[in-house]
Amino acid sequence: MDATVSTHWSRNRPQPTALARFFDNKAVLVIICLLPAVGLLTVFLTYPLGLGIWLAFTDQTIGRRGVYVGLENFEFLFTDPIFWNAVFYSVFYTGVATIGKFALGLWLALLLNEHMPFKSFIRAIILLPWIVPTVLSAIAFWWMYDPQFSIISYIFVDVLGWRSENINFLGSEWPARWSLIFANIWRGIPFVAISLLAGLQTISPSLYEAALLDGATPWQRFRHITFPLILPILAIVMTFSIIFTFTDFQLVYAITRGGPVNSTHLLATLAFQRGIPGGQLGEGAAIAVTMVPFLVFATLFSYFALARRKWQQGEGND
Amino acid sequence: MAFNITRRDFSSLGAALGAGLAGAPAFAQSNIQRRDVPAPNLAIERGATLRMLRPVRFVQPDEEVFRANVARFAQQHNIQVRVDFVGWEDINQQTAVTANTGAGPDLIIGFGDAPHVYADKLIELTDVAEYLGNRYGGWKTLAQRYGKRHGTNNWIGLPFGASGGPLVWRQSAVREAGFQSPPDDHASFLRLCQALRRNNKPAGFALGNAVGDGNGFANWLVWSFGGKLVNEDGSVGINSRETIAALNYLRELYPTFVPGTIAWGDISNNRAYASNELFLTSNGVSLYFSLKNDPATRPIADDTQHTLMPKGLASVSPMAGLTLNAMVFRHSRFPNASKALLAFLLETEQYDPWLQANLGYWAQPLNAYNTSATWTSDEKVSIFRDTMDTEFYNGYRGPITEGTAAANADYVMVQMCAAVASGQATPEAAVREAERRAQRFFRRR
């Protein structure tokens, strides 16, 4: 056996070429590796966002290039009752729907965490409302809330005979608002439930066993073991949920288009209505920009209020 | 006005027409009178290639006939023409981009106001328009309004047709209420609606965010009392005694409606009418055809009549049609070919089959086509013939501007009416709110 077949063996590593040295340079590597990510973010995130913010300070319409008008759009919006109504409803919608989704979602997660027959199958079924494209479920709700053809009205009027006329879900302010909130909660529960279920399953059973030995009641076990341990995941899920709800568009647009008389406009639907069908791009952009402070506040709130635990940052116990 | 006819409703008819097109034309012969006047001398550029946009068909034969017409033009002049059909919601945006970038299609058939918004990006079509007007008995009032630049005789658009939304009503229900047909004055019309309601066969008009039906009803209401959104000089004129009278009338009229019309979209009245929940409304011809072509609803169609919206205080029925308006862009390298194509499409050999293919959904802009077989094929459709014989248009009585379209799309008039009907606002407050919103759309820039 001849182990030294190689004819060109030398003690020293050959001098790398200039190209190789160039690519071995750490600074160059950093730039090259970052470039795709930075490029994508710039083109698809920073530029549109910047353009949107710029448009908010112009009077651009669809069909005409705008000029810089300073805060004119915002000054108009702050005197516009329709805008303030949209601010109110966006906050109300987000607040009520989030509370509803988390109360019911947490409850559902706790139920799903129990042992029961067909566990996996049921868990899969639960996800359905969330998997169905929003527009489809919105159209289903649109039919259910229809003034003439609502299945709910049909049951109450024609089957049970409890009412003499159809329920007018979308015909006046508050019923329309609650109807949309109900649809949003229905759609949002699975996301919350499945996410919290994942959190529940990371809790070690030994903690519950220890609590049982100490004679803890179910409520005490929930209050002192379950709840603190899923709080971190709760905070993350809530942050996402608040952002999704606040920026909701499809449900409202498909079911009411902001009606009756603008009472169910969210900031997102109002921005679209003014910007695209109404053609007032500048004003629409201004409405969209006013959502940013709300979203930053909501994110910071759920992050700091719910998630500031020392152990989360890798230090001792709470 | 419903833009919501489904293909299913027309599939059988479409198949019949489609089959007919392949061989001899399947269309009835119309007796269109035209004069021989010299055509404008348009030297078609050699090797021209045209690109055209238009809104998508609402029945299959629309597209087939249109494509066949265009193909014939291309063949005759040995040039290339490409037609793209664009969704109704997108055509305004695509027109805007085309106008602003100075690139893209040579010509677009858009909606009524577009040529007025982009007037300085378009070439004048006066020679073609005058030729067609002379040849075909003159342009109708609405066509002149949408075709000519405000206050001039210079044509910047060539209207291709308009779709109207008159009253659609059940003969049996109106008779039962003690009327032969819907009356023309406000007081009697109110009595009719009250009687319909008593008989549990109510009327109903969309007051929700429905671009077609909602605006159609709100405009009718205000116009029929002599009110208007915009004054002749372009200033906002909604805050007037007439508008307030109209809204006070609505307060009496609205309780006679079937419940829920404040939440209605463009399709809602079609569904309610087809299921015997609604007996008088306003809509385009599509509702009638979808009823007629479905055996299950055929009896409703047989009982259905169309009449113009009540005149009220106006001298003619205050209805505006949604208008197709063609324009040629200045950036086109083949302006003559573009103009020649538009003129070609409006000549009898092309236009009449197209009109018939649309079954009355679009009504002609030129008087001579009043005798088209379209309007005799079914007497219940004949009322749509005169859709363009009206002095009313969206944005009446001011010049047509981008504010016109924006106020329409933002439901300024509809929401003024809905706020009063639902009791959320007094007529005075609702009018002031509409004025505030309209002033922003019509502000000078």
Side-chain angles (χ1 to χ4, degrees), chain A residues 184-225:
Chain A
N184 183 281
I185 292 178
W186 175 85
R187 197 187 126 66
I189 287 176
F191 172 67
V192 175
I194 296 294
S195 310
L196 294 186
L197 182 63
L200 287 176
Q201 295 191 330
T202 62
I203 300 174
S204 162
S206 61
L207 292 171
Y208 291 109
E209 284 158 18
L212 271 175
L213 289 177
D214 289 343
T217 63
W219 169 248
Q220 282 172 324
R221 271 176 283 159
F222 172 76
R223 172 67 190 79
H224 296 288
I225 299 174

Side-chain angles (χ1 to χ4, degrees), chain B residues 93-402:
Chain B
Q93 279 76 351
Q94 298 212 6
T95 310
V97 172
T98 306
N100 285 334
T101 56
D106 301 273
L107 60 169
I108 294 185
I109 300 184
F111 290 124
D113 50 294
H116 300 268
V117 177
Y118 309 112
D120 52 348
K121 308 278 169 62
L122 305 177
I123 61 167
E124 278 198 10
L125 304 170
T126 311
D127 49 352
V128 181
E130 280 175 356
Y131 158 71
L132 289 165
N134 288 337
R135 189 161 159 82
Y136 290 99
W139 291 90
K140 289 172 178 275
T141 318
L142 188 63
Q144 296 199 31
R145 168 63 64 179
Y146 277 124
K148 291 176 184 174
R149 206 171 184 149
H150 186 70
T152 70
N153 275 325
N154 301 334
W155 289 74
I156 47 175
L158 277 194
F160 264 64
S163 166
L167 283 183
V168 186
W169 46 279
R170 294 283 291 274
Q171 196 167 321
S172 58
V174 169
R175 289 229 172 103
E176 195 186 326
F179 289 83
Q180 279 306 302
S181 66
D184 254 340
D185 65 294
H186 287 125
S188 309
F189 185 68
L190 177 62
R191 274 192 288 116
L192 166 65
C193 291
Q194 285 166 338
L196 286 170
R197 176 80 195 207
R198 270 197 305 279
N199 297 338
N200 209 12
K201 294 185 172 173
F205 298 90
L207 281 168
N209 291 351
V211 178
D213 290 340
N215 280 306
F217 174 71
N219 284 336
W220 166 76
L221 181 74
V222 172
W223 292 340
S224 72
F225 275 88
K228 53 198 175 300
L229 180 63
V230 196
N231 294 320
E232 230 159 324
D233 62 359
S235 60
V236 175
I238 188 71
N239 194 347
S240 66
R241 272 206 322 276
E242 290 81 7
T243 314
I244 291 184
L247 294 175
N248 278 319
Y249 177 73
L250 178 64
R251 280 212 282 206
E252 295 184 72
L253 188 64
Y254 176 70
T256 69
F257 289 1
V258 63
T261 60
I262 290 200
W264 273 9
D266 273 303
I267 188 132
S268 306
N269 65 338
N270 301 39
R271 289 199 309 231
Y273 192 91
S275 59
N276 284 315
E277 306 239 345
L278 175 68
F279 296 80
L280 184 150
T281 187
S282 72
N283 207 76
V285 73
S286 56
L287 171 57
Y288 171 68
F289 276 110
S290 65
L291 295 168
K292 186 178 162 186
N293 291 341
D294 186 342
T297 53
R298 183 72 199 240
I300 300 181
D302 292 339
D303 190 30
T304 291
Q305 294 290 346
H306 295 117
T307 46
L308 298 178
M309 295 292 286
K311 283 180 192 160
L313 306 178
S315 55
V316 296
S317 171
M319 310 182 340
L322 173 79
T323 305
L324 289 178
N325 215 352
M327 62 207 118
V328 179
F329 287 93
R330 217 164 245 179
H331 65 244
S332 168
R333 288 189 292 133
F334 314 107
N336 284 349
S338 302
K339 279 155 80 171
L341 172 60
L342 291 178
F344 178 84
L345 290 174
L346 282 163
E347 297 273 9
T348 311
E349 296 77 7
Q350 287 69 243
Y351 191 77
D352 192 50
W354 182 74
L355 202 60
Q356 292 190 41
N358 278 292
L359 304 159
Y361 192 78
W362 297 115
Q364 67 280 1
L366 289 156
N367 285 317
Y369 290 111
N370 285 353
T371 53
S372 166
T374 313
W375 310 116
T376 48
S377 56
D378 184 334
E379 59 168 29
K380 289 180 182 176
V381 174
S382 61
I383 188 171
F384 291 88
R385 181 187 60 205
D386 305 326
T387 302
M388 295 198 82
D389 289 322
T390 176
E391 59 188 81
F392 293 95
Y393 55 93
N394 284 335
Y396 171 83
R397 281 175 63 94
I400 299 166
T401 64
E402 62 180 358

Side-chain angles (χ1 to χ4, degrees), chain B residues 408-429:
Chain B
N408 204 53
D410 213 27
Y411 311 108
V412 171
M413 299 273 266
V414 187
Q415 290 175 353
M416 174 182 77
C417 294
V420 171
S422 64
Q424 275 183 39
T426 62
E428 289 77 12

Side-chain angles (χ1 to χ4, degrees), chain A residues 33 47 93 106 148 153 198 201 230 235 238 271-272 276 279 290 311 316:
Chain A
C33 292
Y47 172 71
Y93 181 83
L106 181 58
Q148 269 78 41
S153 294
Q201 295 191 330
I230 59 164
M238 187 172 275
F272 176 77
I276 307 298
T290 57
W311 48 261

